[in-house]
Amino acid sequence: MKRILLFPLLLFAGMTLFACNPSDDTPSAPETNTPEQSGNAGDSETNEHPENDENEDTPMENNTLKLTVNGRSFTATLVKNSSTETLMKQLAQGSVDIRMNDYGDMEKVGSLGFSLPRNDRQTTTSPGDLILYQGNSFVIYYDTNLWNFTRLGKVDGVSSRNEMLDLLGGKGEVTVTLSLAE
């Protein structure tokens, strides 16, 4: 009798473990990394293009991106990796509009509407950093964060939160247009 009751209990416990699979716990937007997480953040994710690690912070030959917010344009310098190369090819077909919202009092984030290759690695951001999150979200930082991302580039001439927020028109929803610089 005890064996008959034990089997359904073990079956239920096994199903519960499968339902709590941590690989499905991917956040929907970048999160602030707490100090105790900083050593392990993103350890489960692998760099999809490890051959690009050595070029990650190297400027590209044609490396200028134009961003336009509320009729005001500014530029950013892109790093060289497969993500930025693919983005530039996409922009060669036409500009891309991204509706962006504030997240975590540190960034504006919005969907690109398409995916780019990921070159994720542990990154500490600063105001003006352009980041690809989960392959399809474009992020402009106006403050600092530590997480596992793909670096795309940096807005030219920005060194503070206030400067970046000024270029973005302050807090709140904005539409950012990405295009090739002429």
Side-chain angles (χ1 to χ4, degrees):
M1 179 76 164
K2 289 181 182 178
R3 287 185 184 169
I4 293 174
L5 292 175
L6 185 60
F7 180 74
L9 180 62
L10 288 174
L11 182 62
F12 178 75
M15 290 173 43
T16 303
L17 288 175
F18 285 116
C20 297
N21 184 353
S23 66
D24 294 333
D25 289 341
T26 305
S28 61
E31 295 179 7
T32 302
N33 198 9
T34 61
E36 60 270 12
Q37 294 171 320
S38 63
N40 298 324
D43 284 352
S44 64
E45 288 195 54
T46 58
N47 185 335
E48 294 182 15
H49 300 281
E51 70 278 5
N52 291 322
D53 276 350
E54 61 196 49
N55 296 328
E56 181 76 20
D57 295 323
T58 307
M60 295 173 35
E61 185 176 318
N62 180 13
N63 64 341
T64 305
L65 177 68
K66 179 180 171 186
L67 298 94
T68 305
V69 180
N70 299 325
R72 184 177 180 188
S73 295
F74 51 97
T75 60
T77 301
L78 300 177
V79 297
K80 182 177 182 180
N81 60 35
S82 60
S83 306
T84 55
E85 290 168 0
T86 304
L87 176 61
M88 295 300 273
K89 287 177 187 174
Q90 180 75 32
L91 294 175
Q93 298 173 22
S95 63
V96 173
D97 292 332
I98 306 169
R99 191 174 68 205
M100 303 184 80
N101 288 293
D102 295 290
Y103 181 82
D105 196 33
M106 64 184 158
E107 67 189 46
K108 288 202 184 281
V109 62
S111 174
L112 281 167
F114 52 89
S115 292
L116 297 174
R118 292 171 65 175
N119 294 281
D120 292 345
R121 67 177 173 183
Q122 194 69 24
T123 303
T124 300
T125 64
S126 62
D129 282 346
L130 305 180
I131 299 292
L132 176 68
Y133 179 71
Q134 293 190 338
N136 60 5
S137 292
F138 186 78
V139 184
I140 303 173
Y141 272 86
Y142 52 83
D143 213 327
T144 59
N145 189 24
L146 174 65
W147 199 254
N148 203 33
F149 312 109
T150 297
R151 184 176 298 281
L152 297 175
K154 181 153 180 82
V155 174
D156 298 330
V158 169
S159 60
S160 74
R161 174 184 173 98
N162 289 339
E163 289 171 330
M164 193 66 246
L165 278 171
D166 182 51
L167 287 175
L168 294 170
K171 291 190 179 181
E173 184 178 302
V174 296
T175 297
V176 176
T177 301
L178 305 181
S179 59
L180 296 176
E182 298 173 6

